[in-house]
Structure formats: structure tokens, C-alpha cells
Amino acid sequence: MAFAIKVNGTTHSIDVDGDTPLLWVLRDVLGMTGTKFGCGKALCGACTVHIDGVAARSCVAPIDSVGTAEITTIEAIGATPVGGKIQKAWLDREVVQCGYCQSGQIMSASALLASNPHPTDSDIDAAMSGNICRCGTYLRIREAIKQAAR
Ligand code: FES
Ligand code: FES
């Protein structure tokens, strides 16, 4: 079935089954491999993108639910004011270890700061609680979000 989806400001025509997860469309059809597959069950956050500015798990978002929504991925988040600040803070704080979870972490953190420019520790913990990091970078993530918020 044909769909037209808008990703990072560009409209793409794709032909996939309607229940195909957005994650597979991004990675396998459009070749945007910055968004990662972790669990496939909305449990780890590795696949987080923005759908109309809201952090969403692309592994459980069927393509026929996306409609005309604006999708933003890790490939473009650095071009947004908040995303640029988050990525700079990530580098300054040397947040990344293996890196596998980090595109999802950055997408969740960017959505948080876009909606709440001065989050408290509990705001940060609540917003980031669905993003799992096997390398345990949680403390540096929190510090980087605070830096980006200053
Ligand atoms: S891969 Fe989507 S939440 Fe884990
Ligand atoms: S940096 Fe390795 S899983 Fe998070």
C-alpha cells in the first residue's frame, strides 16, 4: 500500500503494508539507520523519534497510524534549537559509552526540553525513564540535560 510520510521536512512516497512499524520504514526503506532497534516492544526507547514533536516509540507505531504527522529523527534533531543544545551538552559531558541507546536518549531529552525548558530532576527522571542504557550513562544524561537547559 502506498503512503506519503514526512520525515525531517521531506515527504517520502513508500509502498509497504499498513502495519509495518515506522522504525522499519525509517531504517530499511529510507536508509535512516540512526534510529535503533532494541526490543521491538516499546520497552527500551532505542527507537525513539518525534511524531509532531512528541517522543514516540517507532517500533510500535504502524505506518498507517502516522498520517500527515511530522516525523523527526536523530539525523535532523541537531538542526533544531533544542536538539543542537542537547547534542552539544552530550559532547561536553562525554555522555556516550557504546552509543547504542543514545539516539533514543537524545530524542527523548530533546522532546523534554522543547516542552519543559527548565525541568527538575524528577521531571528528567520521569521523561527519561523509558530509555534504557546498558552502559549506565544515566547520571551524565541528567547532567547534560541540565547543562542544555541553562
Ligand atoms: S525498540 Fe522500540 S522501545 Fe525498544
Ligand atoms: S551508551 Fe551503551 S547502551 Fe547506552
Side-chain angles (χ1 to χ4, degrees), residues 34-36 44-50 55 57 74 77 83 86-87 90 95-113 124-125 127-142 144-145:
T35 306
K36 302 303 185 195
C44 75
C47 66
T48 304
V49 299
H50 294 179
R57 307 299 189 232
I74 188 67
I77 196 64
I86 287 283
Q87 288 191 334
W90 246 242
V95 170
V96 176
Q97 290 289 299
C98 80
Y100 198 84
C101 72
Q102 294 293 331
S103 62
Q105 304 281 5
I106 286 170
M107 296 308 287
S108 289
S110 300
L112 167 63
L113 277 198
I124 293 171
D125 290 347
M128 302 302 294
S129 64
N131 287 80
I132 307 303
C133 177
R134 288 289 301 267
C135 301
T137 61
Y138 301 111
L139 292 180
R140 284 186 296 201
I141 285 172
R142 186 194 276 182
I145 291 172

Side-chain angles (χ1 to χ4, degrees), residues 23 36-48 57-60 130:
L23 176 61
K36 302 303 185 195
F37 171 75
C39 65
K41 296 182 178 177
L43 297 172
C44 75
C47 66
T48 304
R57 307 299 189 232
S58 63
C59 68
V60 292

Side-chain angles (χ1 to χ4, degrees), residues 10-123:
T10 300
T11 300
H12 299 268
S13 297
I14 55 171
D15 189 359
V16 294
D17 291 341
D19 61 357
T20 305
L22 173 59
L23 176 61
W24 300 129
V25 172
L26 293 172
R27 290 183 57 85
D28 293 351
V29 180
L30 300 180
M32 295 179 180
T33 54
T35 306
K36 302 303 185 195
F37 171 75
C39 65
K41 296 182 178 177
L43 297 172
C44 75
C47 66
T48 304
V49 299
H50 294 179
I51 299 178
D52 280 341
V54 177
R57 307 299 189 232
S58 63
C59 68
V60 292
I63 199 67
D64 63 6
S65 72
V66 171
T68 58
E70 301 262 357
I71 299 158
T72 306
T73 70
I74 188 67
E75 283 85 357
I77 196 64
T80 69
V82 167
K85 282 185 194 171
I86 287 283
Q87 288 191 334
K88 181 180 184 312
W90 246 242
L91 290 172
D92 288 349
R93 298 285 169 161
E94 299 184 340
V95 170
V96 176
Q97 290 289 299
C98 80
Y100 198 84
C101 72
Q102 294 293 331
S103 62
Q105 304 281 5
I106 286 170
M107 296 308 287
S108 289
S110 300
L112 167 63
L113 277 198
S115 65
N116 179 359
H118 301 290
T120 64
D121 282 359
S122 58
D123 292 336

